[in-house]
Coordinates of all heavy atoms in Angstrom, one line a residue:
M1 N 21.4 6.8 -13.6 CA 20.3 7.8 -13.7 C 20.9 9.2 -13.9 O 21.9 9.5 -13.3 CB 19.4 7.8 -12.5 CG 18.4 8.9 -12.5 SD 17.2 8.7 -11.2 CE 15.8 9.2 -12.0
V2 N 20.3 10.0 -14.7 CA 20.8 11.4 -15.0 C 19.7 12.4 -14.5 O 18.5 12.1 -14.7 CB 21.0 11.6 -16.5 CG1 21.4 13.1 -16.7 CG2 22.2 10.7 -16.9
E3 N 20.1 13.4 -13.8 CA 19.2 14.5 -13.4 C 19.7 15.8 -14.0 O 20.9 16.0 -14.2 CB 19.2 14.6 -11.9 CG 18.0 15.4 -11.3 CD 16.7 14.6 -11.4 OE1 16.5 13.7 -10.7 OE2 15.9 15.0 -12.3
V4 N 18.8 16.6 -14.5 CA 19.1 17.9 -15.1 C 18.6 19.0 -14.3 O 17.4 19.0 -13.9 CB 18.6 17.9 -16.6 CG1 19.0 19.2 -17.3 CG2 19.1 16.7 -17.4
F5 N 19.5 20.0 -14.1 CA 19.1 21.2 -13.2 C 19.3 22.5 -14.0 O 20.2 22.6 -14.8 CB 20.0 21.2 -12.0 CG 20.0 20.0 -11.1 CD1 20.8 18.9 -11.4 CD2 19.2 20.0 -10.0 CE1 20.8 17.8 -10.6 CE2 19.1 18.9 -9.2 CZ 19.9 17.8 -9.5
K6 N 18.4 23.4 -13.7 CA 18.5 24.8 -14.2 C 19.3 25.5 -13.1 O 19.0 25.3 -11.9 CB 17.2 25.4 -14.4 CG 17.2 26.9 -14.7 CD 15.8 27.5 -14.8 CE 15.8 28.9 -15.1 NZ 14.5 29.5 -15.3
T7 N 20.3 26.3 -13.4 CA 21.2 26.9 -12.4 C 21.3 28.4 -12.7 O 20.9 28.9 -13.8 CB 22.6 26.3 -12.3 OG1 23.4 26.7 -13.4 CG2 22.5 24.8 -12.2
N8 N 22.0 29.1 -11.8 CA 22.4 30.5 -12.0 C 23.9 30.7 -12.2 O 24.4 31.7 -12.1 CB 21.9 31.4 -10.9 CG 22.6 31.2 -9.6 OD1 23.1 30.1 -9.4 ND2 22.6 32.2 -8.7
V9 N 24.5 29.6 -12.6 CA 26.0 29.6 -12.8 C 26.2 30.2 -14.2 O 25.8 29.7 -15.2 CB 26.6 28.2 -12.7 CG1 28.1 28.2 -13.1 CG2 26.3 27.6 -11.4
N10 N 27.0 31.3 -14.2 CA 27.2 32.0 -15.5 C 28.7 31.9 -16.0 O 28.9 32.1 -17.2 CB 26.8 33.5 -15.4 CG 25.4 33.7 -15.2 OD1 24.6 33.2 -16.0 ND2 25.0 34.3 -14.1
E11 N 29.6 31.7 -15.1 CA 31.0 31.8 -15.4 C 31.7 30.5 -15.4 O 31.4 29.6 -14.6 CB 31.7 32.8 -14.5 CG 31.2 34.2 -14.5 CD 31.9 35.1 -13.6 OE1 33.1 34.9 -13.3 OE2 31.3 36.1 -13.2
L12 N 32.6 30.3 -16.4 CA 33.3 29.0 -16.6 C 34.0 28.6 -15.3 O 34.0 27.5 -14.9 CB 34.2 29.1 -17.8 CG 35.0 27.8 -18.1 CD1 34.0 26.6 -18.3 CD2 35.9 28.0 -19.3
Q13 N 34.7 29.6 -14.7 CA 35.5 29.2 -13.5 C 34.6 28.7 -12.4 O 35.0 27.9 -11.6 CB 36.4 30.4 -13.0 CG 35.7 31.6 -12.5 CD 35.9 32.8 -13.2 OE1 36.1 32.8 -14.4 NE2 35.8 33.9 -12.6
H14 N 33.4 29.3 -12.2 CA 32.5 28.8 -11.2 C 32.0 27.4 -11.6 O 31.9 26.5 -10.7 CB 31.3 29.7 -11.1 CG 31.6 31.1 -10.5 ND1 30.9 32.2 -10.9 CD2 32.5 31.4 -9.6 CE1 31.4 33.2 -10.2 NE2 32.4 32.8 -9.4
A15 N 31.7 27.1 -12.8 CA 31.3 25.8 -13.3 C 32.4 24.8 -13.0 O 32.1 23.7 -12.5 CB 30.9 25.8 -14.7
E16 N 33.6 25.1 -13.3 CA 34.7 24.2 -13.1 C 34.9 23.9 -11.6 O 35.2 22.8 -11.2 CB 36.0 24.8 -13.7 CG 36.0 24.8 -15.2 CD 37.2 25.5 -15.8 OE1 37.8 26.3 -15.1 OE2 37.4 25.3 -17.0
M17 N 34.8 24.9 -10.8 CA 35.0 24.8 -9.3 C 33.8 23.9 -8.8 O 34.1 23.0 -8.0 CB 34.9 26.1 -8.6 CG 35.0 26.1 -7.1 SD 33.4 25.9 -6.2 CE 32.6 27.4 -6.6
L18 N 32.6 24.1 -9.2 CA 31.5 23.3 -8.8 C 31.6 21.9 -9.2 O 31.3 21.0 -8.4 CB 30.2 23.9 -9.3 CG 29.8 25.3 -8.6 CD1 28.6 25.9 -9.3 CD2 29.5 25.1 -7.1
I19 N 32.0 21.6 -10.4 CA 32.2 20.2 -10.9 C 33.2 19.5 -10.0 O 33.0 18.4 -9.6 CB 32.6 20.2 -12.4 CG1 31.4 20.6 -13.2 CG2 33.1 18.8 -12.8 CD1 31.7 20.8 -14.7
S20 N 34.3 20.2 -9.7 CA 35.3 19.6 -8.9 C 34.8 19.3 -7.5 O 35.0 18.2 -7.0 CB 36.5 20.6 -8.8 OG 37.5 20.1 -7.9
R21 N 34.1 20.2 -6.9 CA 33.5 20.1 -5.6 C 32.4 18.9 -5.6 O 32.4 18.1 -4.6 CB 32.9 21.4 -5.1 CG 33.9 22.5 -4.9 CD 34.7 22.4 -3.6 NE 34.0 22.4 -2.4 CZ 33.8 23.5 -1.7 NH1 34.2 24.7 -2.1 NH2 33.1 23.4 -0.5
I22 N 31.6 18.9 -6.6 CA 30.6 17.8 -6.7 C 31.3 16.5 -6.8 O 30.9 15.5 -6.1 CB 29.7 18.1 -7.9 CG1 28.8 19.3 -7.7 CG2 28.8 16.8 -8.3 CD1 28.0 19.8 -8.9
H23 N 32.3 16.3 -7.6 CA 33.0 15.1 -7.8 C 33.7 14.6 -6.5 O 33.7 13.4 -6.2 CB 34.0 15.1 -8.9 CG 33.3 15.2 -10.3 ND1 34.0 15.5 -11.4 CD2 32.0 15.0 -10.6 CE1 33.2 15.5 -12.4 NE2 32.0 15.2 -12.0
K24 N 34.2 15.6 -5.7 CA 34.8 15.2 -4.4 C 33.8 14.9 -3.3 O 34.1 14.0 -2.5 CB 35.7 16.4 -4.0 CG 37.0 16.5 -4.8 CD 37.8 17.7 -4.3 CE 39.0 17.9 -5.2 NZ 39.7 19.1 -4.9
T25 N 32.7 15.6 -3.3 CA 31.7 15.4 -2.3 C 30.8 14.2 -2.6 O 30.4 13.4 -1.7 CB 30.9 16.7 -2.1 OG1 31.7 17.8 -1.9 CG2 29.9 16.5 -1.0
F26 N 30.4 14.0 -3.8 CA 29.5 13.0 -4.3 C 30.3 12.1 -5.2 O 30.3 12.2 -6.4 CB 28.3 13.6 -5.0 CG 27.5 14.6 -4.2 CD1 27.8 15.9 -4.3 CD2 26.5 14.2 -3.4 CE1 27.1 16.9 -3.6 CE2 25.7 15.1 -2.6 CZ 26.0 16.5 -2.7
M27 N 31.0 11.1 -4.6 CA 32.0 10.3 -5.3 C 31.3 9.5 -6.5 O 32.0 9.2 -7.5 CB 32.6 9.3 -4.4 CG 33.4 10.0 -3.3 SD 34.8 10.8 -3.9 CE 36.0 10.0 -2.9
R28 N 30.0 9.2 -6.4 CA 29.4 8.4 -7.5 C 28.8 9.3 -8.6 O 28.2 8.8 -9.5 CB 28.3 7.5 -6.9 CG 28.8 6.5 -5.9 CD 27.7 5.8 -5.2 NE 26.9 6.8 -4.5 CZ 25.5 6.7 -4.3 NH1 24.9 5.7 -4.8 NH2 24.9 7.7 -3.6
Y29 N 28.9 10.6 -8.5 CA 28.4 11.5 -9.5 C 29.4 11.9 -10.5 O 30.6 12.1 -10.2 CB 27.8 12.8 -8.8 CG 26.6 12.6 -7.9 CD1 26.1 11.4 -7.6 CD2 26.0 13.8 -7.3 CE1 25.0 11.3 -6.8 CE2 24.9 13.6 -6.5 CZ 24.4 12.4 -6.3 OH 23.3 12.3 -5.5
R30 N 28.9 12.1 -11.7 CA 29.7 12.7 -12.8 C 28.8 13.9 -13.3 O 27.7 13.7 -13.7 CB 29.9 11.7 -13.9 CG 30.9 10.6 -13.5 CD 32.3 11.1 -13.3 NE 33.1 10.2 -12.4 CZ 33.4 10.4 -11.2 NH1 33.0 11.5 -10.5 NH2 34.1 9.6 -10.5
A31 N 29.4 15.1 -13.3 CA 28.7 16.3 -13.6 C 29.3 17.1 -14.8 O 30.5 17.0 -15.0 CB 28.6 17.2 -12.4
N32 N 28.4 17.8 -15.5 CA 28.9 18.8 -16.5 C 27.9 19.9 -16.6 O 26.7 19.7 -16.3 CB 29.2 18.1 -17.8 CG 28.0 17.5 -18.5 OD1 27.1 18.3 -18.9 ND2 28.0 16.2 -18.6
F33 N 28.4 21.0 -17.1 CA 27.6 22.2 -17.3 C 27.4 22.5 -18.8 O 28.4 22.2 -19.6 CB 28.2 23.5 -16.6 CG 27.9 23.6 -15.2 CD1 28.7 23.1 -14.2 CD2 26.7 24.3 -14.8 CE1 28.4 23.3 -12.9 CE2 26.4 24.4 -13.4 CZ 27.3 23.9 -12.5
D34 N 26.3 23.1 -19.2 CA 26.1 23.7 -20.5 C 25.8 25.1 -20.2 O 24.6 25.5 -20.0 CB 25.0 23.0 -21.2 CG 24.8 23.6 -22.6 OD1 25.5 24.6 -23.0 OD2 24.0 23.0 -23.4
L35 N 26.8 26.0 -20.2 CA 26.6 27.4 -19.9 C 26.1 28.2 -21.1 O 25.7 29.3 -21.0 CB 27.9 28.0 -19.4 CG 28.5 27.4 -18.1 CD1 29.7 28.2 -17.7 CD2 27.4 27.5 -17.0
H36 N 26.1 27.5 -22.3 CA 25.5 28.2 -23.5 C 24.0 28.1 -23.5 O 23.3 28.9 -24.2 CB 26.1 27.6 -24.8 CG 27.6 27.8 -24.9 ND1 28.2 29.0 -25.1 CD2 28.6 26.9 -24.7 CE1 29.5 28.9 -25.1 NE2 29.8 27.6 -24.9
D37 N 23.4 27.1 -22.8 CA 22.0 27.0 -22.7 C 21.4 28.1 -21.9 O 22.0 28.6 -20.9 CB 21.6 25.6 -22.0 CG 20.2 25.4 -22.1 OD1 19.4 25.9 -21.2 OD2 19.7 24.7 -23.0
C38 N 20.2 28.6 -22.2 CA 19.6 29.7 -21.5 C 19.4 29.4 -20.0 O 19.3 30.3 -19.2 CB 18.4 30.2 -22.2 SG 17.0 29.0 -22.2
D39 N 19.2 28.1 -19.7 CA 19.0 27.7 -18.3 C 20.3 27.3 -17.6 O 20.2 26.8 -16.4 CB 18.0 26.5 -18.3 CG 16.6 26.8 -18.7 OD1 16.2 28.0 -18.4 OD2 15.9 26.0 -19.3
K40 N 21.4 27.5 -18.2 CA 22.7 27.2 -17.5 C 22.7 25.8 -16.9 O 22.8 25.6 -15.7 CB 23.1 28.3 -16.5 CG 23.0 29.7 -17.0 CD 23.9 29.9 -18.2 CE 23.8 31.4 -18.6 NZ 24.3 31.6 -19.9
I41 N 22.5 24.9 -17.8 CA 22.2 23.5 -17.4 C 23.4 22.8 -16.7 O 24.5 22.9 -17.1 CB 21.9 22.6 -18.7 CG1 20.6 23.2 -19.3 CG2 21.8 21.2 -18.4 CD1 19.4 23.0 -18.5
L42 N 23.0 22.1 -15.6 CA 23.9 21.2 -14.9 C 23.3 19.8 -15.1 O 22.2 19.6 -14.7 CB 24.0 21.6 -13.4 CG 24.7 20.5 -12.5 CD1 26.1 20.3 -12.9 CD2 24.6 20.9 -11.0
R43 N 24.1 18.9 -15.7 CA 23.7 17.5 -15.8 C 24.5 16.7 -14.8 O 25.7 16.8 -14.8 CB 24.0 17.0 -17.2 CG 23.0 17.5 -18.2 CD 23.3 16.9 -19.6 NE 22.8 17.8 -20.7 CZ 23.4 18.8 -21.2 NH1 24.6 19.1 -20.8 NH2 22.8 19.5 -22.1
V44 N 23.8 15.8 -14.1 CA 24.5 15.0 -13.1 C 24.0 13.6 -13.3 O 22.9 13.3 -13.3 CB 24.2 15.4 -11.6 CG1 24.9 14.6 -10.6 CG2 24.5 16.9 -11.5
M45 N 25.0 12.7 -13.5 CA 24.8 11.3 -13.6 C 25.3 10.6 -12.3 O 26.4 10.9 -11.8 CB 25.5 10.7 -14.8 CG 25.2 9.2 -15.0 SD 26.2 8.5 -16.4 CE 27.8 8.3 -15.6
C46 N 24.5 9.6 -11.8 CA 25.0 8.8 -10.7 C 25.4 7.4 -11.2 O 24.6 6.8 -11.9 CB 23.9 8.7 -9.6 SG 24.4 7.9 -8.1
T47 N 26.6 7.0 -10.9 CA 27.1 5.7 -11.4 C 26.4 4.5 -10.7 O 26.4 3.4 -11.3 CB 28.6 5.6 -11.3 OG1 29.0 5.8 -10.0 CG2 29.3 6.7 -12.2
E48 N 25.9 4.8 -9.5 CA 25.2 3.7 -8.8 C 24.0 4.3 -8.1 O 24.2 5.2 -7.3 CB 26.1 3.1 -7.7 CG 27.3 2.3 -8.3 CD 28.2 1.8 -7.1 OE1 27.7 1.6 -6.0 OE2 29.4 1.7 -7.4
G49 N 22.8 3.9 -8.4 CA 21.6 4.5 -7.7 C 21.2 5.7 -8.5 O 21.4 5.9 -9.7
S50 N 20.6 6.6 -7.7 CA 20.0 7.8 -8.3 C 20.6 9.1 -7.7 O 21.1 9.0 -6.6 CB 18.5 7.8 -8.2 OG 18.1 7.8 -6.9
V51 N 20.5 10.2 -8.4 CA 21.0 11.5 -7.9 C 20.0 12.0 -6.8 O 18.8 11.9 -7.0 CB 21.0 12.5 -9.1 CG1 21.3 13.9 -8.6 CG2 21.9 12.0 -10.2
E52 N 20.6 12.4 -5.7 CA 19.8 13.0 -4.6 C 19.7 14.4 -4.9 O 20.5 15.3 -4.5 CB 20.6 12.7 -3.3 CG 20.7 11.2 -2.9 CD 21.5 11.1 -1.7 OE1 21.0 11.6 -0.6 OE2 22.5 10.4 -1.7
A53 N 18.6 14.8 -5.6 CA 18.4 16.1 -6.1 C 18.4 17.2 -5.0 O 19.1 18.2 -5.1 CB 17.2 16.2 -7.0
E54 N 17.6 16.9 -4.0 CA 17.5 17.9 -2.9 C 18.8 18.2 -2.2 O 19.1 19.3 -1.8 CB 16.4 17.5 -1.9 CG 15.0 17.6 -2.5 CD 14.6 18.9 -3.1 OE1 15.0 20.0 -2.4 OE2 14.0 19.0 -4.1
R55 N 19.6 17.1 -2.0 CA 20.9 17.2 -1.3 C 21.8 18.0 -2.2 O 22.6 18.9 -1.7 CB 21.4 15.8 -1.1 CG 22.7 15.8 -0.2 CD 23.0 14.4 0.2 NE 24.4 14.5 0.8 CZ 25.3 13.6 0.6 NH1 25.0 12.5 -0.1 NH2 26.5 13.7 1.1
L56 N 21.8 17.8 -3.5 CA 22.7 18.5 -4.4 C 22.2 20.0 -4.5 O 23.1 20.9 -4.5 CB 22.6 17.9 -5.8 CG 23.6 18.5 -6.8 CD1 25.1 18.3 -6.3 CD2 23.5 17.8 -8.2
I57 N 21.0 20.3 -4.5 CA 20.5 21.6 -4.6 C 20.9 22.4 -3.3 O 21.4 23.5 -3.4 CB 18.9 21.7 -4.7 CG1 18.5 21.2 -6.1 CG2 18.4 23.0 -4.4 CD1 17.1 20.9 -6.3
S58 N 20.8 21.7 -2.2 CA 21.3 22.3 -0.9 C 22.8 22.6 -0.9 O 23.2 23.6 -0.4 CB 20.9 21.4 0.3 OG 21.3 21.9 1.5
F59 N 23.5 21.6 -1.4 CA 25.0 21.8 -1.5 C 25.3 23.0 -2.4 O 26.2 23.8 -2.0 CB 25.5 20.5 -2.2 CG 27.0 20.5 -2.4 CD1 27.9 20.3 -1.4 CD2 27.5 20.7 -3.7 CE1 29.3 20.2 -1.7 CE2 28.8 20.7 -4.0 CZ 29.7 20.5 -3.0
L60 N 24.7 23.1 -3.5 CA 25.0 24.3 -4.4 C 24.5 25.6 -3.7 O 25.2 26.6 -3.8 CB 24.2 24.1 -5.7 CG 24.7 23.0 -6.6 CD1 23.8 22.8 -7.8 CD2 26.2 23.3 -7.1
H61 N 23.4 25.6 -3.0 CA 22.9 26.8 -2.3 C 24.0 27.2 -1.2 O 24.2 28.4 -1.1 CB 21.6 26.5 -1.6 CG 21.0 27.7 -0.9 ND1 21.1 27.8 0.4 CD2 20.3 28.7 -1.4 CE1 20.6 29.0 0.7 NE2 20.0 29.5 -0.3
D62 N 24.5 26.2 -0.5 CA 25.6 26.5 0.5 C 26.8 27.2 -0.1 O 27.5 27.9 0.6 CB 26.0 25.3 1.2 CG 24.9 24.8 2.2 OD1 23.9 25.5 2.4 OD2 25.0 23.6 2.6
L63 N 27.0 26.9 -1.4 CA 28.1 27.5 -2.1 C 27.8 28.8 -2.8 O 28.6 29.4 -3.6 CB 28.7 26.5 -3.1 CG 29.4 25.3 -2.5 CD1 29.7 24.3 -3.6 CD2 30.6 25.7 -1.7
G64 N 26.5 29.3 -2.6 CA 26.1 30.6 -3.2 C 25.4 30.5 -4.5 O 25.2 31.5 -5.2
F65 N 24.9 29.3 -5.0 CA 24.3 29.2 -6.3 C 22.9 28.6 -6.1 O 22.6 28.0 -5.1 CB 25.2 28.3 -7.2 CG 26.5 28.9 -7.5 CD1 27.6 28.6 -6.7 CD2 26.7 29.8 -8.5 CE1 28.9 29.1 -6.9 CE2 27.9 30.3 -8.8 CZ 29.0 30.0 -8.0
T66 N 22.1 28.8 -7.1 CA 20.7 28.2 -7.1 C 20.6 27.1 -8.2 O 21.4 27.1 -9.2 CB 19.7 29.2 -7.4 OG1 19.9 29.8 -8.7 CG2 19.7 30.3 -6.3
A67 N 19.8 26.2 -7.9 CA 19.5 25.1 -8.9 C 18.1 24.6 -8.6 O 17.6 24.6 -7.5 CB 20.5 23.9 -8.7
E68 N 17.5 24.1 -9.7 CA 16.2 23.5 -9.6 C 16.1 22.4 -10.7 O 16.7 22.5 -11.7 CB 15.0 24.5 -9.8 CG 15.0 25.1 -11.2 CD 13.9 26.2 -11.3 OE1 14.1 27.3 -10.7 OE2 12.9 25.9 -11.9
V69 N 15.4 21.3 -10.3 CA 15.3 20.2 -11.2 C 14.4 20.6 -12.4 O 13.4 21.2 -12.2 CB 14.7 19.0 -10.5 CG1 14.4 17.8 -11.5 CG2 15.6 18.5 -9.4
L70 N 14.9 20.3 -13.6 CA 14.1 20.5 -14.8 C 13.2 19.3 -15.0 O 13.8 18.1 -15.0 CB 14.9 20.8 -16.0 CG 15.5 22.2 -16.1 CD1 16.4 22.3 -17.3 CD2 14.5 23.3 -16.1
P71 N 11.9 19.4 -15.3 CA 11.1 18.2 -15.5 C 11.5 17.6 -16.9 O 11.9 18.3 -17.8 CB 9.7 18.8 -15.5 CG 9.8 20.2 -15.9 CD 11.2 20.7 -15.3
D72 N 11.2 16.3 -17.0 CA 11.4 15.6 -18.2 C 10.3 16.1 -19.2 O 9.1 16.2 -18.8 CB 11.3 14.1 -18.1 CG 12.4 13.5 -17.3 OD1 13.5 14.1 -17.3 OD2 12.2 12.5 -16.7
I73 N 10.7 16.5 -20.4 CA 9.7 17.0 -21.4 C 9.7 16.0 -22.6 O 10.8 15.7 -23.1 CB 10.1 18.4 -21.9 CG1 10.2 19.4 -20.7 CG2 9.1 18.9 -22.9 CD1 8.9 19.7 -20.0
V74 N 8.5 15.6 -22.9 CA 8.4 14.7 -24.1 C 7.4 15.4 -25.1 O 6.3 15.8 -24.7 CB 7.7 13.3 -23.7 CG1 7.5 12.5 -24.9 CG2 8.6 12.7 -22.6
P75 N 7.9 15.6 -26.3 CA 7.0 16.2 -27.3 C 5.8 15.3 -27.6 O 6.0 14.1 -27.7 CB 7.9 16.4 -28.6 CG 9.2 15.8 -28.2 CD 9.2 15.2 -26.9
T76 N 4.7 15.9 -27.8 CA 3.5 15.1 -28.2 C 2.9 15.9 -29.3 O 3.0 17.1 -29.5 CB 2.5 15.0 -27.0 OG1 2.1 16.4 -26.6 CG2 3.0 14.3 -25.8
L77 N 2.2 15.1 -30.2 CA 1.5 15.7 -31.3 C 0.0 15.9 -31.0 O -0.7 15.1 -30.5 CB 1.6 14.7 -32.5 CG 1.1 15.2 -33.9 CD1 1.9 16.4 -34.3 CD2 1.2 14.1 -34.9
N78 N -0.4 17.2 -31.2 CA -1.8 17.5 -31.1 C -2.3 18.0 -32.4 O -1.6 18.1 -33.4 CB -2.0 18.4 -29.9 CG -1.4 19.8 -30.1 OD1 -1.1 20.2 -31.2 ND2 -1.1 20.5 -29.0
H79 N -3.5 18.5 -32.4 CA -4.1 18.9 -33.7 C -3.5 20.2 -34.2 O -3.6 20.5 -35.4 CB -5.6 19.1 -33.5 CG -6.0 20.3 -32.7 ND1 -5.9 20.2 -31.3 CD2 -6.5 21.5 -33.0 CE1 -6.3 21.4 -30.8 NE2 -6.6 22.2 -31.8
L80 N -2.8 20.9 -33.4 CA -2.1 22.2 -33.9 C -0.6 21.9 -34.2 O 0.1 22.8 -34.7 CB -2.2 23.3 -32.9 CG -3.6 23.7 -32.5 CD1 -3.6 24.7 -31.4 CD2 -4.3 24.3 -33.7
G81 N -0.1 20.8 -33.9 CA 1.3 20.5 -34.1 C 1.9 19.9 -32.8 O 1.2 19.3 -32.1
F82 N 3.2 20.3 -32.6 CA 3.8 19.7 -31.4 C 3.6 20.6 -30.2 O 3.5 21.8 -30.2 CB 5.3 19.6 -31.6 CG 5.7 18.5 -32.5 CD1 6.0 18.7 -33.8 CD2 5.8 17.2 -32.0 CE1 6.4 17.6 -34.7 CE2 6.1 16.1 -32.8 CZ 6.4 16.3 -34.1
S83 N 3.4 19.9 -29.1 CA 3.3 20.6 -27.8 C 4.3 19.8 -26.9 O 4.8 18.8 -27.2 CB 1.9 20.5 -27.2 OG 1.5 19.2 -26.9
R84 N 4.5 20.4 -25.7 CA 5.4 19.7 -24.8 C 4.7 19.3 -23.5 O 3.8 20.0 -23.0 CB 6.5 20.7 -24.4 CG 7.5 21.0 -25.6 CD 8.3 22.1 -25.4 NE 8.9 22.3 -24.1 CZ 10.2 22.5 -23.9 NH1 11.0 22.6 -24.9 NH2 10.7 22.6 -22.6
T85 N 4.9 18.1 -23.1 CA 4.2 17.5 -22.0 C 5.3 17.1 -20.9 O 6.2 16.4 -21.2 CB 3.4 16.3 -22.4 OG1 2.5 16.6 -23.4 CG2 2.7 15.7 -21.2
A86 N 5.1 17.6 -19.7 CA 6.0 17.2 -18.6 C 5.7 15.8 -18.2 O 4.6 15.4 -18.1 CB 5.9 18.2 -17.4
I87 N 6.8 15.0 -17.9 CA 6.7 13.7 -17.4 C 7.3 13.6 -16.0 O 8.4 14.0 -15.8 CB 7.4 12.7 -18.4 CG1 6.9 12.8 -19.8 CG2 7.4 11.3 -17.8 CD1 5.5 12.4 -20.0
D88 N 6.6 13.0 -15.1 CA 7.1 12.8 -13.8 C 8.1 11.6 -13.8 O 7.8 10.5 -14.1 CB 5.9 12.4 -12.8 CG 6.4 12.3 -11.4 OD1 7.6 12.3 -11.1 OD2 5.6 12.1 -10.5
S89 N 9.4 12.0 -13.6 CA 10.5 11.0 -13.7 C 10.5 9.9 -12.6 O 11.2 9.0 -12.7 CB 11.8 11.7 -13.8 OG 12.0 12.4 -12.6
K90 N 9.7 10.1 -11.6 CA 9.6 9.2 -10.5 C 8.7 8.0 -10.8 O 8.7 7.0 -10.0 CB 9.2 9.9 -9.2 CG 10.3 10.9 -8.8 CD 9.9 11.5 -7.5 CE 10.9 12.6 -7.0 NZ 11.7 13.2 -7.9
N91 N 7.9 8.0 -11.8 CA 7.0 7.0 -12.2 C 7.6 6.1 -13.2 O 8.3 6.4 -14.1 CB 5.7 7.5 -12.7 CG 4.9 8.1 -11.5 OD1 5.1 7.8 -10.4 ND2 4.1 9.1 -11.9

């Protein structure tokens, strides 16, 4: 399972440090950042089971960073064109 987070990580050295710390602390997680995205995206995949989002958010907070889960967005067609609909990933 993959979870996507919006973060306040702006610098490459911070992203590299966080990825290293995530991989050491959460052995089943594989993480990467997209610092070019306006939301400074952190993607985390769990090799077994699911990502514990609240635990990871707390972990990042303890290191001085913020993160929030981004909802799954699925484009839908309406009479005006495309709109975006949030999907609850727990269902």
